[in-house]
Amino acid sequence: MEEQIKYYENKLAFEMDPSDLFDALNNGEKVIALDARKAFGFEAEHIPNAINIPHREMSPKTTAHLDKDVLYVTYCDGIGCNASTKGALNMTKLGFKVKELIGGIEWWKFDGYATEGTKGNKGGLKFECAC
């Protein structure tokens, strides 16, 4: 049983679902959604206020401007894409605190949250920054 408890604790330490991310963003927690897809995917549709650093371009130079005290939640298209996993690995190797978004942007939309971009869904639930 201890092994199973450790497994689930580890899983929660490295992943979050869309509702957890939405709540964290809405509550003003130090969290940033990081789209690990190529720029054209981000431009078409992304989580509001997300930043885009394709996993293939993550390096000390391309991440030098980022705050290491923030939790970065990497995401991609969804369960059929592993750009978020590659991005989480790269960001962790670069010394950032990282979690991966379960289900990517597809599950974000499935849960009814808004997106931005040329194909964004502005009709979904939105979060607001109080700063």
Side-chain angles (χ1 to χ4, degrees):
M1 184 173 280
E2 288 301 316
E3 190 174 324
Q4 190 172 8
I5 290 170
K6 188 66 177 166
Y7 169 80
Y8 290 118
E9 287 174 342
N10 283 334
K11 190 172 173 116
L12 291 172
F14 303 126
E15 299 176 339
M16 77 170 32
D17 67 17
S19 67
D20 291 336
L21 177 57
F22 183 84
D23 289 345
L25 292 168
N26 230 10
N27 293 332
E29 294 178 29
K30 291 179 78 171
V31 61
I32 294 175
L34 192 161
D35 192 319
R37 301 174 298 158
K38 292 180 180 177
F40 73 87
F42 178 80
E43 290 164 8
E45 190 170 35
H46 58 270
I47 293 172
N49 300 323
I51 62 171
N52 178 227
I53 306 175
H55 69 87
R56 290 178 177 91
E57 298 173 16
M58 292 174 179
S59 70
K61 184 177 179 180
T62 62
T63 60
H65 65 288
L66 299 178
D67 184 350
K68 290 206 174 178
D69 291 328
V70 171
L71 172 66
Y72 294 90
V73 180
T74 62
Y75 72 91
C76 56
D77 288 333
I79 60 173
C81 175
N82 67 3
S84 62
T85 304
K86 291 175 181 177
L89 176 60
N90 291 343
M91 292 294 286
T92 301
K93 286 179 177 179
L94 290 165
F96 293 93
K97 295 185 287 188
V98 183
K99 286 191 177 187
E100 187 176 8
L101 183 64
I102 298 170
I105 196 165
E106 286 304 313
W107 285 12
W108 175 266
K109 294 186 305 186
F110 180 76
D111 283 353
Y113 302 119
T115 58
E116 296 177 337
T118 59
K119 296 181 180 178
N121 170 16
K122 301 196 185 315
L125 295 172
K126 298 176 178 76
F127 57 89
E128 296 181 44
C129 178
C131 53

